[in-house]
Amino acid sequence: MTAQLGHFTLVLALLVTLYGAVAFLVGSRRRLPPLLASAERSVLVSFGLVTLALLVMEYALVTSDFSIRYVANVSTKASPIRYKIAGLWGNLEGSILLWEWLQVLFIALVVFRFRRRPHPLAPHALGVLMGISAFFLVLLAAVTNPFQQHAPVPPDGRGLNPLLEVTDMLVHPLLLYHGYVGFSVPFAFAFAALLTGRLENEWLTLTRRWTVLAWLFLTAGILYGGWWSYRTLGWGGYWAWDPVENASFMPWLTGTAFLHSVMIQEKRGMLKVWNLVLITLTFALVIFGTFLTRSGILSSVHAFAEGPVGIFFLAFLATVVLGTLGLLLWRAEQLRVPGELDSLVSRESAFLLNNLLLVAFCFTVFLGTIFPLLAEAVRGVKVSVGAPFFNYVNVPIGLALLFLMGVGPVIPWRRASWASLRRNVVGPTATAALATALLMVAGVRGFFPVLGFVLPAFVGATVVMEFGRGMRARRRLQGEGWGTAFRGLVERNRRRYGGLIVHLGVVLLTIGIVGSSTYKLEREAALAPGESFQVGRYTVRFDGLEGAEAPTHFRVWGAFTVSTDGRPGRVLKPAQRFYQGYDSPFASVDARYGLREDLYLILASFARDGSQATVKALVNPLISWIWLGGVVILVGALTALWPGRREEKP
Amino acid sequence: MRRRSMVSLLAGGAILLAFLPGGAGAVPEEEVHHIAMELRCPVCQNLSVGDSPSEMAKEMRGLIRERLERGETREEVLAYFVSKYGEWILLSPRASGFNLLVWILPLAAVLAGAVGIFVVVRRWNSRAKARAGAEAHRFPDPASLERVRRELEATEGGPPA
């Protein structure tokens, strides 16, 4: 009964959404206000129906209705209620349902936003968005019905993969999906601009904040994923260049390029085609990533079931890409803007290089991710493309980007005079030189580690100087205190200063990445109770093993007393979790986190009688700076996003 | 009983070995780690032998150490694993044959993009200069105007209608 209700609701939502898409497009083309009004109502109806389907699914999950195959796949009777709820995004069908719900939510928000301030582009964009929504509903109604029943009804479900039964499961996927879905809004407006021929900057300015919002969610999702991986996967790293990680990173790269290149169009009216291409690429990469990871053609930590969905995603992807290309060709005359640039050294050039590097970065990730498929198709040989390749190729690109991040914001638009360049770059260069000297004294050697610390110092100095210059001017002119001057400065141009704060976050993050990857210490030892070993400045003593039954698993942990520089400190308890139905145990790490370094313990194996435990200890210097930088990035993005007095003006 | 004591003796020996300072045949742990980071852990999802906490990866690290101690070079150790598992075991594909593509294409893309940007920026720049030039001469001086008029008359046809 529940299953039929859920499925019927989805079919109904599909019909309503199809009607809405057509009504929006016809209504705006033929200028029929009543039809448009009815189309808007169809959005609300569709939102209501999809919400109902979502609630039905959650009801089935919470009440453990195992007659629905999906529920049996992702939960057990004994699962804590929060993981029953999170089961919604624990596997393929449910996550598409969640995705679709977010999609309709965003469409409803767009309707709401443009009801108060209508704009001729909005109905077309809404038509496009309803088309996207219809695609997901076709999947749900006809291809991967989440309400599929099966017989016989099993007495208990299989449950989530134990790796997913952690609190992070309640956060990370939701953030990412918000980001993915969010990029559909600027894409839809770009597509609408092409459809209608309103190709000025409207579509950019109307969706600017939607884009930043999507970027914010995607960034937060990616960073949170790294944090999750670091704290719970038990291998001591945060990023493995896994295909699914890459799938989320590719749209991030093009989205970031887009956020920068739109500024050239806004200021100078150039790069119109490029911006349309970039946002289409970003949206297409979101779909492509889903195709890659949901079609089962690549193996990955995150990959779900195989099935016929792959081909549907591919067809949708082709529609998006070919549709945009066709429209671009059709509008080619109108899009031709003769560009002009007074000097080769200018903000414009810096942005172009920034775009080149970000897109090249994305291309590398793309190539590396699909290369195993290519190699197998062409040579019939399986090859791997993993972390060493990605690091080797991308680190130089990343460092070049960092350099631009320092120079770009201080080069003026149009033409940079040598005098102004000198004035803006002397301070940061001196800082970089000082940093180099300090690093040499501290014993840092090697081209990449030195560059990896000096460039952040350079960028950090430009950001600080930019803020300092603005604040000093305000203090001089308006006699404000430092605090007021800071607030006033940021409020006057949230976008610029928010962006600079984001850059500062990237600086901290880079320091974390360089520090932890260059100076990581690793030691593994088998210890009897009472024995200890040394790693870095820590002595780790094994005190003994303990075990206990938890609701879903059996847990064994070792107690290790850690002394730092001889001073006794905390007891760390890395553990292994044993689940029924899984051959190998799952690690639960324990760590002593700090700004200087983390001491990270993994219980690798143990003797059943408690006479011995093998423990792996990692010292990860500066790794906390990654998360710290992440927080600063989010603060910066929020600053840019926050509604200010200036932006309230139409 | 005897077997048990043998096992514990062996285990004790292994622990002792692990703590023993490097002898003549010992290889630095970094070298082992360096090679392990290049190899895919066969039983994991996308983790290197260096990172993986699995039993399999541990054995493979032992194998690397053993082979290095026997005097094999890094290349020989990697070649051994390739012969055993196939190319798939290497986390960065060898830069030869078809695999060259994955190494060369990113570089080619950056270079092509850089050239493209340079060409575009130069064109924009010359257009800006041309316009600045045109604006500077928007009002031609009377002497030139007079000369143009005379030359037009000299061609008899006069200015086209």
Side-chain angles (χ1 to χ4, degrees):
Chain A
M1 189 53 210
T2 323
Q4 281 80 1
L5 174 65
H7 188 234
F8 178 70
T9 315
L10 288 172
V11 173
L12 212 57
L14 173 60
L15 296 177
V16 173
T17 304
L18 284 173
Y19 164 76
V22 174
F24 270 124
L25 293 175
V26 173
S28 48
R29 180 131 286 214
R30 300 261 164 88
R31 302 215 164 71
L32 302 168
L35 193 59
L36 284 179
S38 122
E40 284 185 5
R41 279 194 295 278
S42 80
V43 171
L44 298 184
V45 174
S46 151
F47 179 63
L49 286 169
V50 178
T51 309
L52 181 62
L54 190 98
L55 290 176
V56 170
M57 178 49 90
E58 284 295 2
Y59 175 77
L61 283 165
V62 169
T63 56
S64 295
D65 181 352
F66 296 134
S67 69
I68 296 174
R69 193 168 60 195
Y70 183 78
V71 176
N73 272 343
V74 297
S75 64
T76 60
K77 275 193 188 125
S79 307
I81 184 124
R82 57 183 185 281
Y83 299 125
K84 285 185 181 172
I85 294 173
L88 177 66
W89 51 94
N91 211 329
L92 177 71
E93 296 87 348
S95 31
I96 293 183
L97 179 57
L98 173 67
W99 185 309
E100 165 59 14
W101 183 75
L102 285 171
Q103 185 68 65
V104 201
L105 175 69
F106 269 76
I107 300 175
L109 288 174
V110 172
V111 168
F112 182 68
R113 156 75 176 73
F114 287 98
R115 189 170 266 181
R116 282 181 300 165
R117 272 170 291 171
H119 189 279
L121 269 180
H124 287 89
L126 281 164
V128 176
L129 284 168
M130 287 296 262
I132 297 170
S133 170
F135 162 71
F136 285 105
L137 283 168
V138 167
L139 285 186
L140 288 166
V143 187
T144 60
N145 173 15
F147 295 100
Q148 184 103 55
Q149 287 177 296
H150 61 167
V153 176
D156 201 356
R158 265 204 311 161
L160 284 177
N161 181 322
L163 283 176
L164 301 181
E165 275 209 4
V166 283
T167 329
D168 310 83
M169 179 62 182
L170 309 177
V171 184
H172 166 68
L174 292 179
L175 289 173
L176 273 186
Y177 284 8
H178 271 91
Y180 289 156
V181 172
F183 275 116
S184 68
V185 177
F187 165 72
F189 274 83
F191 205 85
L194 281 168
L195 278 177
T196 55
R198 300 178 71 102
L199 292 160
E200 291 313 305
N201 298 351
E202 295 163 310
W203 73 270
L204 283 183
T205 40
L206 286 173
T207 57
R208 182 158 69 210
R209 297 186 43 211
W210 295 85
T211 314
V212 178
L213 188 73
W215 187 88
L216 172 74
F217 275 120
L218 189 56
T219 310
I222 292 173
L223 288 166
Y224 196 99
W227 197 46
W228 178 2
S229 166
Y230 178 62
R231 284 174 311 132
T232 62
L233 284 192
W235 59 284
Y238 46 85
W239 187 263
W241 297 104
D242 178 272
V244 177
E245 292 170 349
N246 294 349
S248 66
F249 193 40
M250 286 190 276
W252 185 90
L253 287 165
T254 52
T256 307
F258 177 72
L259 281 178
H260 288 92
S261 76
V262 292
M263 288 187 252
I264 298 191
Q265 182 171 340
E266 286 171 14
K267 291 259 190 234
R268 307 289 319 275
M270 303 188 293
L271 294 190
K272 281 184 174 168
V273 175
W274 178 238
N275 285 325
L276 290 163
V277 167
L278 263 187
I279 194 62
T280 306
L281 197 60
T282 305
F283 182 68
L285 283 169
V286 165
I287 301 299
F288 176 75
T290 317
F291 158 70
L292 261 193
T293 53
R294 300 295 174 253
S295 61
I297 58 169
L298 288 177
S299 69
S300 134
V301 196
H302 306 66
F304 293 153
E306 302 185 23
V309 278
I311 201 75
F312 279 83
F313 272 104
L314 209 55
F316 182 55
L317 184 66
T319 314
V320 167
V321 172
L322 295 178
T324 311
L325 270 182
L327 286 173
L328 277 172
L329 286 176
W330 183 42
R331 298 283 184 198
E333 262 325 296
Q334 221 183 319
L335 283 164
R336 194 160 296 154
V337 182
E340 280 186 18
L341 193 58
D342 299 307
S343 163
L344 300 189
V345 184
S346 59
R347 178 80 60 86
E348 288 91 327
S349 306
F351 274 146
L352 288 177
L353 288 177
N354 145 304
N355 269 229
L356 167 67
L357 292 174
L358 283 168
V359 173
F361 203 141
C362 177
F363 174 69
T364 311
V365 177
F366 174 81
L367 187 66
T369 311
I370 63 152
F371 193 74
L373 298 173
L374 278 183
E376 196 163 2
V378 174
R379 295 168 60 210
V381 176
K382 273 190 197 299
V383 300
S384 303
V385 179
F389 168 81
F390 288 108
N391 292 336
Y392 194 81
V393 180
N394 288 332
V395 164
I397 300 183
L399 290 175
L401 271 171
L402 214 54
F403 174 71
L404 275 183
M405 191 187 270
V407 181
V410 296
I411 303 183
W413 289 97
R414 284 173 180 270
R415 181 195 294 275
S417 73
W418 284 112
S420 81
L421 256 187
R422 216 175 307 134
R423 195 173 57 236
N424 288 332
V425 174
V426 161
T429 309
T431 313
L434 185 69
T436 313
L438 285 176
L439 289 168
M440 287 298 161
V441 172
V444 176
R445 294 292 180 272
F447 181 68
F448 279 113
V450 170
L451 207 59
F453 285 123
V454 167
L455 282 176
F458 178 71
V459 180
T462 57
V463 174
V464 170
M465 274 183 51
E466 277 300 293
F467 271 99
R469 206 196 325 272
M471 280 155 67
R472 266 201 308 277
R474 287 185 76 89
R475 276 169 60 82
R476 204 171 48 236
L477 295 174
Q478 282 152 351
E480 294 170 341
W482 286 110
T484 334
F486 179 78
R487 264 222 343 251
L489 190 69
V490 172
E491 264 168 21
R492 201 175 50 96
N493 195 346
R494 287 180 179 280
R495 202 166 160 215
R496 175 173 172 77
Y497 290 99
L500 285 171
I501 294 173
V502 171
H503 285 184
L504 202 61
V506 176
V507 163
L508 297 176
L509 186 127
T510 309
I511 294 174
I513 292 175
V514 175
S516 62
S517 57
T518 319
Y519 298 104
K520 182 168 159 177
L521 286 179
E522 215 177 309
R523 240 186 111 188
E524 192 173 302
L527 304 171
E531 286 184 329
S532 58
F533 75 108
Q534 189 81 28
V535 55
R537 48 193 191 110
Y538 305 96
T539 311
V540 179
R541 193 187 68 215
F542 175 44
D543 296 332
L545 282 177
E546 276 172 88
E549 195 76 49
T552 51
H553 60 274
F554 187 75
R555 187 181 177 88
V556 175
W557 68 91
F560 295 87
T561 305
V562 175
S563 350
T564 314
D565 295 325
R567 278 171 284 113
R570 278 178 43 192
V571 177
L572 294 181
K573 292 175 178 168
Q576 285 193 344
R577 291 173 291 157
F578 294 84
Y579 289 83
Q580 205 149 35
Y582 290 88
D583 290 336
S584 41
F586 290 81
S588 284
V589 299
D590 200 5
R592 182 182 161 283
Y593 300 106
L595 266 187
R596 176 171 161 187
E597 64 196 16
D598 290 359
L599 172 70
Y600 187 96
L601 293 187
I602 306 160
L603 183 63
S605 61
F606 54 86
R608 294 198 130 214
D609 59 0
S611 63
Q612 197 202 58
T614 305
V615 67
K616 190 171 172 184
L618 301 175
V619 177
N620 290 324
L622 301 178
I623 203 164
S624 300
W625 289 46
I626 296 178
W627 325 127
L628 191 69
V631 172
V632 174
I633 290 175
L634 300 186
V635 168
L638 273 177
T639 307
L641 202 59
W642 210 259
R645 256 164 285 153
R646 265 187 66 186
E647 279 178 313
E648 279 305 309
K649 282 188 222 155
Chain B
M1 217 38 215
R2 258 184 84 118
R3 178 170 288 172
R4 194 141 171 208
S5 61
M6 271 292 279
V7 168
S8 55
L9 199 75
L10 274 177
I15 299 170
L16 217 71
L17 268 178
F19 281 94
L20 231 55
V27 288
E29 213 37 48
E30 289 95 82
E31 182 63 21
V32 175
H33 185 70
H34 202 61
I35 296 176
M37 292 301 280
E38 291 285 330
L39 295 173
R40 177 188 276 271
C41 159
V43 296
C44 313
Q45 296 271 26
N46 208 37
L47 272 188
S48 73
V49 169
D51 282 324
S52 165
S54 74
E55 206 51 41
M56 178 86 176
K58 199 175 157 188
E59 278 166 25
M60 286 172 76
R61 287 195 294 268
L63 214 55
I64 297 171
R65 191 174 303 118
E66 221 171 82
R67 296 203 154 244
L68 286 173
E69 276 165 5
R70 247 187 270 156
E72 288 190 9
T73 63
R74 175 190 147 85
E75 281 312 307
E76 282 166 344
V77 175
L78 289 176
Y80 162 74
F81 282 105
V82 170
S83 73
K84 198 166 166 205
Y85 293 95
E87 259 184 81
W88 174 82
I89 201 76
L90 296 177
L91 276 174
S92 52
R94 286 245 159 90
S96 66
F98 183 73
N99 287 351
L100 267 176
L101 276 185
V102 79
W103 291 100
I104 290 176
L105 281 180
L107 187 69
V110 172
L111 288 180
V115 170
I117 286 181
F118 183 71
V119 169
V120 166
V121 166
R122 259 246 312 251
R123 192 190 308 150
W124 288 355
N125 188 220
S126 60
R127 198 176 283 143
K129 275 184 185 148
R131 199 181 63 165
E135 273 171 12
H137 297 287
R138 187 170 286 164
F139 306 107
D141 54 314
S144 313
L145 270 180
E146 178 58 25
R147 206 183 72 222
V148 171
R149 201 178 56 82
R150 260 189 284 123
E151 274 171 14
L152 280 172
E153 275 170 8
T155 56
E156 289 187 343

